[in-house]
Amino acid sequence: MSNALKNVKVAPNSATLAEARHRVFDFFKTACRSLPTVMHIYNLDDVTSISELRSTVASEIRKNSHVTNPKVIDMLLFKAFEELKNVVDMAKQRHHIIGQYVVGKQGLVQDRATKDQGISPFLKNFYNSNYS
Amino acid sequence: MTMMNNRKRPKELSDKCHVILDRVLSTTCFILIYELAIFFFRRHALISNQIIHPSVPISCYTYYSMASSSVSATFLGFAPSLTLSSKSAHQVSSRFGAVSVGWSRRSFPSLRSSRFRIYAAQPETVDKVCEIVRKQLALPPESQLTPETTFTALGADSLDTVEIVMGLEEEFGISVEEQSSENITCIKEAADLIEKLLQNKPPSS
């Protein structure tokens, strides 16, 4: 794998918060660079796009942005690398990826494919309301 | 008859001389051109680091043969006028001077164009960068983005900056290394870095 995910060893604990921050950005860059592979192996082209996945990863990172202890950050990074490795090695399946990372706030998959263009607008608005 | 013979023989002799001169001159010119071709071919091979046959070094043989053939060509070219020494020296120096000017002229144009390309970031690149920044930070479309606006002024934290750089990587197909991604603070720097990386990248199939 070009991102060398297999060679990731557990680094010794970061000494300072700045070093932990640097490692978080490195993880984010590695994740973003492996996104095209993920899109390809799980056939996610009709469900989402690379920018959406990238913003999902960024929001997951932002959920833990209040942490200040470098050791806790290291632990979170360890879990994040493990999750990324599982995703890239295809140890997960498509419905895992869709359920965990693609489904938006409405709880539904937003359609991006062109397969829906033939359907009537009644069916498209069916989930929203019955009386549109 | 003897008078006519007397007039005829110098003519014959001069004709023969002229014929011989023509032949020798043409062959010498041919040799000169051949030597020049060999010289430039070897020089081109040396410059582009190709393998040339090491048996004949470029310096001694070709220079000597070139010099001798050029000298002999000028000798014979000016034989009818019979003023040899100073003019041949001038001719040799001017011929070599023309050759050296030809070499230096070859290296200039690429230097000038590459220097111009580095300093200017193209406007469509800047526009694409602005588009990506706007979409990433969810800015309203009427907000103005000059090339000098920093990302933090637009409300982006460090993770947003990294995400913008990643978006640019995906959009342009480049790969930004560590140390250069730390310094990107405004749109102009991002556009310049993209331009530089697009130049240095080998053409992808």
Side-chain angles (χ1 to χ4, degrees), chain A residues 21-22 24-26 28-29 32-33 50-51 54-55 58-59 61-62, chain B residues 135-136 157-160 162-163 166-167 169-170 175-176 178 181-182:
Chain A
R21 197 159 160 268
H22 194 72
V24 168
F25 291 146
D26 281 344
F28 183 60
K29 284 182 199 170
C32 286
R33 283 178 186 144
I50 294 185
S51 342
R54 196 187 312 135
S55 60
S59 59
I61 293 178
R62 238 180 269 270
Chain B
K135 199 170 61 165
Q136 176 60 39
D157 61 352
S158 50
L159 190 64
D160 277 326
V162 177
E163 201 170 339
M166 286 293 126
E169 262 195 27
E170 182 211 348
S175 157
V176 179
E178 293 299 317
S181 70
E182 302 285 333

Side-chain angles (χ1 to χ4, degrees), chain A residues 22 26 29 33, chain B residues 165-166 169 174-184 193 196-198 200-201:
Chain A
H22 194 72
D26 281 344
K29 284 182 199 170
R33 283 178 186 144
Chain B
V165 170
M166 286 293 126
E169 262 195 27
I174 55 178
S175 157
V176 179
E177 315 91 30
E178 293 299 317
Q179 60 273 16
S180 37
S181 70
E182 302 285 333
N183 306 331
I184 299 180
L193 184 66
K196 196 164 62 150
L197 283 172
L198 278 176
N200 297 340
K201 185 176 81 145

Side-chain angles (χ1 to χ4, degrees), chain B residues 97-134:
Chain B
V99 163
S100 60
V101 164
W103 294 342
S104 62
R105 219 185 299 133
R106 253 169 43 180
S107 61
F108 268 132
S110 60
L111 193 66
R112 217 176 279 156
S113 60
S114 68
R115 199 170 278 169
F116 273 138
R117 245 182 272 149
I118 285 177
Y119 285 120
Q122 295 173 7
E124 58 259 15
T125 313
V126 178
D127 281 340
K128 274 191 198 172
V129 173
C130 286
E131 172 75 29
I132 288 178
V133 169
R134 207 166 274 177

